[in-house]
Amino acid sequence: MVSIGFPTRGALNFVNYRLLVLILEKAGLDTKVTNFFANYLIQRSTNYLWNNLSSPSFEVNVEVSQGSTLSPILSTLYLSPLIYIIEKRFENLNLPISILSFVDNGLFVVQNKSFSISNSLLFCSYNILSNLLNSFGLIIEHSKTEIFHFNRSHGPFNPPPLDLTSIRGPILHPKDSWRYLGFIFDRKLSFHKHINYYANKAISTVKCMKLLGNLV
């Protein structure tokens, strides 16, 4: 399994805003809505105010900033055709790879008893994704890309790394535990680390409440 962070720098930069408008039109939205976003995504500026100090204006063209209420919706609409194309590519190439996506986080899932076969399939999927993202004006956040293996064996477990340097990617070393969408997974799905983490977090919260309760 490979966990991938895409797009870049934590915010979806719509380099090709015309493609977004086309996607909105294909989704059946009213012309007034598509015209609004066509104007909203370009020729914008912002400045920052702190007490009586105000910064100069900065251009924020073709970008939906992180934290905006529109960002998750537009991100999903923008990435939906990308996910569809990837699934069709996998189907045409007979690649047994599943893809899951949650806003700007994606997962490639491969089930195989051979590490070499799993890595080769993940290598192919990563290459396909990289090329498609470039055509959509997006890139992968390599710092957020991880690889994780589930395994039932009780003996030594040393899976090899996944080398993606030949396709301008990182070398991914398998992790002992993996955190995704608030859940902590271990290789055998025992969820011991997940329970320990949140139990300790709850105990720490209760101790802090006790300290705050003694204040005036």
Side-chain angles (χ1 to χ4, degrees), residues 179 182-185 191-205:
R179 184 169 183 173
F183 291 90
I184 301 174
F185 298 91
F191 288 97
H192 291 163
K193 290 187 177 181
H194 178 82
I195 294 171
N196 289 337
Y197 174 81
Y198 282 101
N200 290 329
K201 190 174 182 179
I203 292 171
S204 299
T205 302

Side-chain angles (χ1 to χ4, degrees), residues 87 89-98 120-121 124-125 128:
E87 290 178 340
R89 293 275 179 92
F90 290 168
E91 183 180 341
N92 294 334
L93 295 172
N94 293 322
L95 297 177
I97 303 171
S98 301
S120 63
L121 290 172
C124 293
S125 62
I128 293 172

Side-chain angles (χ1 to χ4, degrees), residues 17-101:
Y17 74 93
R18 292 184 180 86
L19 178 57
L20 173 64
V21 174
L22 178 61
I23 292 171
L24 296 177
E25 291 175 350
K26 292 292 185 181
L29 297 180
D30 189 86
T31 306
K32 293 181 180 179
V33 177
T34 57
N35 290 339
F36 167 79
F37 283 110
N39 294 323
Y40 171 76
L41 293 170
I42 60 174
Q43 297 179 351
R44 293 187 298 147
S45 62
T46 185
N47 65 332
Y48 300 93
L49 182 67
W50 182 266
N51 293 331
N52 295 324
L53 300 176
S54 179
S55 71
S57 295
F58 298 95
E59 292 186 359
V60 286
N61 290 340
V62 294
E63 178 180 321
V64 175
S65 302
Q66 189 174 15
S68 169
T69 54
L70 293 174
S71 183
I73 299 171
L74 294 179
S75 299
T76 302
L77 289 171
Y78 193 80
L79 292 174
S80 57
L82 172 71
I83 304 300
Y84 176 80
I85 294 172
I86 291 175
E87 290 178 340
K88 286 297 181 182
R89 293 275 179 92
F90 290 168
E91 183 180 341
N92 294 334
L93 295 172
N94 293 322
L95 297 177
I97 303 171
S98 301
I99 182 169
L100 302 174
S101 177

